[in-house]
Amino acid sequence: MTALAAVPVTALYASDVRIGYGAKAVVEDITLAIDKQEIVCLLGGSGCGKSTLLRGLAGLSGLQHGSVSFLGEPLLAPHPRAALVFQQPSLLPWLDVTGNVGFGLDFARQPALERSARAARVAAAIDAVGLSTHAKAFPAQLSGGQAQRVALARALARQPELLFADEPFSALDAITRAEMQALLVELVHRWHTAVLLVTHDIDEAILVADRIVLMAGQPGRLVRTWHVDIPRPRHAYAEQVIALRLEIVGALRTGAPL
Ligand SMILES: Nc1ncnc2c1ncn2[C@@H]1O[C@H](COP(=O)(O)OP(=O)(O)O)[C@@H](O)[C@H]1O
Ligand SMILES: [Mg+2]
């Protein structure tokens, strides 16, 4: 019998992280592991340090204390197997959808791809977000929801192990937001991608997350965790969704000053 080699299950591990500006700590005591293919929602009120933490965990800013490892290696700079999506899609107006999605593959740290493999990856990502018929459209010709689909395709084209998403749907109307939440879950399941989704929206966290981590306080700390095992699609399990919502609202009222 041959023993199977252990496959590392952790995508990201943050140990006792503190991040701030100057000497001031904005978040501290942050210890968090994100498994491969796991969707973790970091939930917290405005200003509690969610974006600061996300940037630090993604290697975009330095830590005051602690360490972050990604796929078992210390993370000191943004990693080619991680991708980011923000509230604003940040598309380049002079590139069409295909150009914008391909743009994410051209960074120096990305492994070089053959021209045909690159084109296939870009086309697959555009197709996955439902924009094949808009592949030649320019950003000015897209709705807000379509532009955010392009941003998602640009991130997924890199085939990331982990997607960092900072309030990616906050600027969208409620109907488009619901569509995008469902699309995100479908795509990361299909792409086998882990997600750290930052949100201030309790319903978004419940609909999307495998695990919700609540952040509160000043400096911000991780104060509660919920494993969400409600079957998907979760709209079909309204009672369980409402029960969890009440529990989270209760925790916000009593335990966690926001
Ligand atoms: N570049 C910066 N310089 C100084 N303080 C900052 C900077 N960015 C954010 N902050 C402060 O850090 C705190 C947390 O901000 P942020 O991480 O953006 O919170 P959230 O994403 O949860 O709304 C806020 O008090 C904010 O004013
Ligand atoms: Mg923020």
Side-chain angles (χ1 to χ4, degrees):
M1 289 246 309
T2 50
L4 288 173
V7 179
V9 293
T10 305
L12 181 117
Y13 183 64
S15 173
D16 198 10
V17 162
R18 185 174 73 231
I19 309 172
Y21 302 100
K24 186 181 156 223
V26 170
V27 297
E28 67 178 15
D29 292 339
I30 305 289
T31 293
L32 177 70
I34 301 174
D35 284 348
K36 288 185 172 181
Q37 304 186 35
E38 187 183 23
I39 305 176
V40 175
C41 283
L42 181 65
L43 176 68
S46 189
C48 77
K50 303 182 298 298
S51 295
T52 299
L53 178 57
L54 179 131
R55 283 198 298 269
L57 297 184
L60 288 169
S61 64
L63 313 179
Q64 290 177 337
H65 185 267
S67 61
V68 178
S69 68
F70 183 70
L71 302 176
E73 305 277 338
L75 182 84
L76 304 169
H79 195 283
R81 301 300 311 280
L84 290 123
V85 185
F86 297 101
Q87 184 175 333
Q88 298 303 328
S90 308
L91 305 181
L92 298 171
W94 59 88
L95 293 179
D96 65 10
V97 166
T98 300
N100 269 287
V101 173
F103 186 75
L105 297 173
D106 295 337
F107 291 109
R109 273 190 290 262
Q110 286 292 312
L113 283 172
E114 297 261 336
R115 183 188 272 258
S116 61
R118 184 184 184 286
R121 252 209 223 187
V122 169
I126 293 172
D127 183 47
V129 299
L131 285 180
S132 292
T133 55
H134 291 72
K136 296 285 164 236
F138 285 86
Q141 301 168 305
L142 302 174
S143 69
Q146 288 171 332
Q148 201 56 315
R149 282 173 192 255
V150 177
L152 189 55
R154 180 179 56 195
L156 289 173
R158 295 173 54 182
Q159 299 184 345
E161 194 73 55
L162 176 60
L163 179 68
F164 290 98
D166 190 351
E167 313 238 13
F169 312 136
S170 300
L172 303 176
D173 64 84
I175 293 168
T176 308
R177 194 183 316 148
E179 284 171 8
M180 291 297 289
Q181 288 161 351
L183 179 68
L184 176 76
V185 172
E186 183 200 323
L187 291 184
V188 298
H189 282 165
R190 202 190 314 162
W191 251 256
H192 305 295
T193 309
V195 181
L196 180 62
L197 175 75
V198 159
T199 184
H200 62 256
D201 180 338
I202 299 175
D203 297 311
E204 177 164 286
I206 294 173
L207 288 176
V208 169
D210 297 321
R211 179 160 50 108
I212 297 172
V213 181
L214 183 64
M215 188 167 170
Q218 279 186 343
R221 291 186 169 86
L222 306 184
V223 295
R224 279 284 298 268
T225 294
W226 289 267
H227 290 271
V228 187
D229 52 11
I230 305 170
R232 301 175 199 271
R234 292 183 174 153
H235 294 289
Y237 297 86
E239 269 181 37
Q240 292 176 54
V241 167
I242 291 167
L244 180 55
R245 187 178 211 290
L246 288 174
E247 205 179 312
I248 294 173
V249 171
L252 290 173
R253 268 210 211 98
T254 54
L258 280 186

